Amino acid sequence: MLGVFTLLSLGSLVALVRPPNVHAVRCRRCCDHLEPAEGSGDQPPTRGFNHVPEVRTYINMTILKGDKGERGDRGTSGKAGPEGLPGSRGPMGSKGSKGQAGLPGDACKVQHSAFSVGRRKSLHSVESYQALVFDTVFVNLDDHFNMFDGKFLCRVPGIYFFNVNIHTWNFKETYLHIMHTEREQAIVYAQPSDRSIMQSQSLMLRLELKDEVWIRLYKRERENAIYSDDVDVYITFNGYIITGSQGGN
């Protein structure tokens, strides 16, 4: 019994003796990785790292997404931007349908002009030209025909129709002209004959404002005359506007 205890004691002594060629190794404990005690002055173990690793938090938003909210109110409109350049002209559109007829115009705005006059006296030629003057009025709208000088004065420009009727004298020549101001426009002529006859002439003229139309008896280079009496009207002069116009001759 004593021998066994002696061997165990010697073994313990042998185990505690470090061999001469072996370096001392620091003993590690299970708590060496913990922070050193406050105030000890010891540095915390680094375990071979040169810096402390950064810790970042990551949140998985998919597991936090809620239900869709209601639509918000519409915001105020922003300021208008600068005006852009004009675009190119587009193609011509198709022709539209015909519109309805308009209302009739005001009748009082339509201008009229007309006259019809006659002569109950015969007339012989003299040394100069004569205007045929009339003594009987059938129609004379607004007095456009001057009964004193036998001339129609245009107050409504346009196209007019004129007509003259005369009765010849036996054995005498009949020679007259329808005059437009001072220009000869148409002739009324009949040769001397033992019988008197009715002669007529008509034409249309484009008249401007203040133009005149009248009948001129030829001067006495020939025996020239027209016949009438106090009972019947053999000589007439008529004219009226066909359409108003602003055009020239």
Side-chain angles (χ1 to χ4, degrees):
M1 182 65 179
L2 181 62
V4 174
F5 178 77
T6 302
L7 291 174
L8 292 173
S9 299
L10 291 174
S12 301
L13 292 174
V14 173
L16 294 174
V17 177
R18 182 182 63 183
N21 57 345
V22 178
H23 298 283
V25 179
R26 184 179 177 179
C27 180
R28 294 185 178 182
R29 295 172 296 176
C30 63
C31 59
D32 285 346
H33 66 282
L34 301 177
E35 297 292 331
E38 184 178 357
S40 63
D42 294 337
Q43 297 294 325
T46 61
R47 295 185 180 181
F49 295 102
N50 294 327
H51 63 278
V52 177
E54 180 182 0
V55 178
R56 296 184 180 180
T57 303
Y58 171 76
I59 300 176
N60 187 354
M61 297 301 294
T62 59
I63 65 176
L64 299 178
K65 183 177 181 182
D67 296 334
K68 183 177 181 181
E70 296 181 357
R71 185 173 182 177
D73 296 335
R74 184 175 182 178
T76 58
S77 301
K79 295 181 179 180
E83 184 177 356
L85 297 175
S88 58
R89 186 172 183 178
M92 181 180 292
S94 57
K95 184 178 180 179
S97 58
K98 184 178 181 179
Q100 297 180 351
L103 297 175
D106 190 351
C108 66
K109 294 182 179 179
V110 178
Q111 294 179 301
H112 300 279
S113 181
F115 72 91
S116 180
V117 294
R119 181 182 173 96
R120 295 178 181 272
K121 295 180 181 180
S122 300
L123 182 65
H124 288 78
S125 60
V126 294
E127 297 300 327
S128 60
Y129 295 111
Q130 299 180 76
L132 191 57
V133 179
F134 298 85
D135 51 33
T136 303
V137 176
F138 301 109
V139 174
N140 190 10
L141 293 182
D142 300 321
D143 294 327
H144 290 183
F145 189 88
N146 190 330
M147 296 295 294
F148 295 98
D149 60 14
K151 295 182 179 180
F152 169 77
L153 178 64
C154 177
R155 298 180 185 176
V156 182
I159 298 175
Y160 285 76
F161 174 83
F162 295 97
N163 166 261
V164 60
N165 299 284
I166 59 94
H167 191 280
T168 65
W169 199 306
N170 293 358
F171 305 105
K172 293 184 180 181
E173 190 176 39
T174 301
Y175 193 8
L176 303 96
H177 282 99
I178 300 177
M179 305 292 294
H180 180 188
T181 309
E182 295 300 326
R183 290 174 294 177
E184 300 171 351
Q185 297 295 324
I187 190 172
V188 183
Y189 181 78
Q191 293 180 339
S193 174
D194 58 352
R195 294 189 307 166
S196 60
I197 59 173
M198 294 293 299
Q199 289 285 84
S200 179
Q201 181 65 280
S202 303
L203 80 168
M204 290 191 295
L205 294 174
R206 183 186 296 273
L207 302 184
E208 299 296 334
L209 190 65
K210 296 185 178 181
D211 282 358
E212 292 179 328
V213 179
W214 51 289
I215 307 300
R216 188 188 72 179
L217 185 66
Y218 205 77
K219 59 187 177 180
R220 185 178 291 175
E221 291 179 357
R222 305 168 179 174
E223 188 64 24
N224 185 19
I226 53 177
Y227 175 83
S228 189
D229 59 34
D230 296 336
V231 178
D232 297 314
V233 178
Y234 291 91
I235 304 168
T236 61
F237 183 31
N238 313 286
Y240 55 88
I241 190 170
I242 297 175
T243 179
S245 173
Q246 297 297 327
N249 289 334

